Amino acid sequence: MDSKELISEIKRLKNEKNALILAHNYVKGEIQDLADYVGDSLGLSRKSAETDNELIVFCAVHFMAETASVLAKRRQRILCPDLNAGCSLSETITGSQLKEWKKEHPDAIVVSYVNTSAEVKAESDYCCTSGNALNVVRSIPEDKDILFLPDMFLGAWVQEVTGRKMHIWPGECHVHASLPPERIQDLMKVHSDADFLIHPECGCSTSCMYLGSVGKLEKKPHILSTAGMVKHAEKSNAETFVVATETGILHPLKKSLPKKEFIPASDSMVCQYMKMVTLEKLYLSLRDEKHEVKVEEPLKSKAKKAIVRMLDIDG
Ligand code: 13P
Ligand code: SF4
């Protein structure tokens, strides 16, 4: 089948089976265009928690489909078109490593980024995403020690903004970690009228907070989740945006604001895992209802507590 036939078959099967297609902002544009909802980790978690569709095809990476399975109602099934779509960041910590870390800080509160396995979430007190990490950390009483994991750049940024000292796991995402502040500084000189949108997983996120006041530059970069970037661009008067995150985000940005210009901070910021979802894999998964991601009890209930606490804080 060619792309056109695959697209029409996916649409037909989706209607026939009353399936909901969810897609992360980083997946291929043609997949985003077929989705009922495109968003960041937080938006996708919320959507999967509120929908009644019995079949959800989750076009993203494995831990995101796992999160949806944890939140799923009794009869819902979550499919992930490619079960090998992993995440270098979530692989930096396992449930048993977290158990050992907790032993060193027995009274600490554990805040885990959503980019973790269900096993890690089950050992956590709170989950958070890049969109609500600040609110989650601010909600924890001042006298409590915090273990924050697994992204050290997100953790450092949260620490800097909230002023809250935390123990931070030394994990990183291979796509975001290597973006240096010098690259942003250089781009700010070239695109002096642009708004700068930086994901907090970027190696430069904390130093970028202070870049706007360097030399003659007056504009501060905005540190945002992927959905936060889309919202910001929709409200901003700027005509040009420099975007520091996985380049898939350029698709929803350009789709929403076709007259504005979006420049990637680096063309090499590509997550090979997010690009593993193809039209053919989506079609096969939907047709054969295969590649189910299912978190079983008692792990499901344990992991759910941390996610629900996060959703409660975020309104
Ligand atoms: P968002 O929650 O901002 O979409 O980020 C998820 C992610 O995997 C970033 O690399
Ligand atoms: Fe994981 Fe990084 Fe890919 Fe996001 S961009 S899914 S953190 S590997």
Side-chain angles (χ1 to χ4, degrees):
M1 265 193 270
D2 63 19
S3 307
K4 232 174 139 186
E5 287 165 323
L6 282 169
I7 290 169
S8 93
E9 273 303 285
I10 291 167
K11 286 182 178 163
R12 186 185 64 75
L13 287 167
K14 187 183 107 63
N15 289 336
E16 188 182 295
K17 295 175 187 246
N18 189 28
L20 184 81
I21 301 181
L22 299 179
H24 189 267
N25 285 315
Y26 294 163
V27 298
K28 289 170 184 274
E30 68 248 38
I31 304 290
Q32 296 192 29
D33 292 344
L34 280 166
D36 297 292
Y37 177 81
V38 179
D40 65 355
S41 315
L42 178 61
L44 295 174
S45 307
R46 284 191 193 290
K47 266 283 168 242
S48 56
E50 71 195 26
T51 184
D52 285 323
N53 298 62
E54 287 183 13
L55 195 60
I56 301 175
V57 191
F58 214 100
C59 301
V61 291
H62 189 269
F63 78 80
M64 294 188 183
E66 240 189 12
T67 308
S69 166
V70 167
L71 293 172
K73 293 167 196 159
R74 208 164 43 87
R75 289 165 53 131
Q76 285 177 315
R77 275 181 307 145
I78 313 297
L79 308 179
C80 183
D82 190 329
L83 292 173
N84 293 317
C87 166
S88 61
L89 176 58
S90 77
E91 276 153 32
T92 61
I93 187 161
T94 61
S96 39
Q97 282 175 308
L98 176 52
K99 275 186 192 162
E100 288 305 308
W101 200 27
K102 280 164 69 172
K103 279 185 199 157
E104 291 168 30
H105 306 274
D107 297 324
I109 301 287
V110 178
V111 180
S112 291
Y113 190 33
V114 69
N115 296 43
T116 45
S117 64
E119 231 184 53
V120 168
K121 289 187 180 81
E123 287 299 321
S124 308
D125 297 296
Y126 291 86
C127 190
C128 76
T129 70
S130 51
N132 62 22
L134 297 173
N135 285 348
V136 169
V137 166
R138 281 179 180 133
S139 77
I140 298 169
E142 293 279 343
D143 60 337
K144 291 284 180 193
D145 244 10
I146 298 178
L147 303 185
F148 188 94
L149 65 111
D151 191 88
M152 61 178 165
F153 298 115
L154 173 68
W157 172 72
V158 170
Q159 192 165 253
E160 191 72 14
V161 177
T162 61
R164 195 67 195 268
K165 288 279 162 276
M166 305 189 294
H167 303 276
I168 300 172
W169 189 260
E172 60 177 39
C173 151
H174 72 295
V175 178
H176 290 84
S178 56
L179 189 71
E182 296 75 33
R183 170 79 185 143
I184 301 297
Q185 216 162 354
D186 289 348
L187 285 163
M188 285 180 104
K189 286 177 197 147
V190 181
H191 304 284
S192 52
D193 291 333
D195 269 7
F196 279 67
L197 313 178
I198 318 275
H199 197 279
E201 277 177 33
C202 289
C204 61
S205 57
T206 301
S207 39
C208 275
M209 282 170 61
Y210 303 104
L211 277 186
S213 48
V214 173
K216 286 186 189 149
L217 300 166
E218 280 162 17
K219 279 182 143 186
K220 279 195 185 303
H222 303 272
I223 319 291
L224 297 163
S225 73
T226 57
M229 290 180 181
V230 179
K231 262 192 222 145
H232 175 92
E234 284 170 350
K235 280 194 296 192
S236 170
N237 292 327
E239 291 300 321
T240 309
F241 299 82
V242 175
V243 187
T245 193
E246 211 278 346
T247 54
I249 188 67
L250 298 172
H251 184 78
L253 284 168
K254 286 178 183 165
K255 201 168 162 177
S256 162
L257 299 157
K259 293 198 178 124
K260 299 206 173 186
E261 190 186 11
F262 296 96
I263 299 162
S266 162
D267 283 324
S268 61
M269 292 179 79
V270 177
C271 174
Q272 67 270 42
Y273 305 114
M274 285 285 186
K275 306 301 185 223
M276 284 166 92
V277 185
T278 60
L279 285 175
E280 185 165 18
K281 288 181 199 166
L282 169 55
Y283 162 68
L284 292 174
S285 162
L286 191 54
R287 187 193 70 183
D288 302 339
E289 299 185 19
K290 65 178 181 182
H291 305 317
E292 184 173 356
V293 174
K294 190 166 187 192
V295 179
E296 303 283 0
E297 293 293 356
L299 199 59
K300 178 169 165 148
S301 298
K302 281 185 87 183
K304 193 171 177 177
K305 268 190 204 156
I307 302 169
V308 169
R309 270 191 187 146
M310 163 186 86
L311 295 174
D312 286 348
I313 288 170
D314 222 48

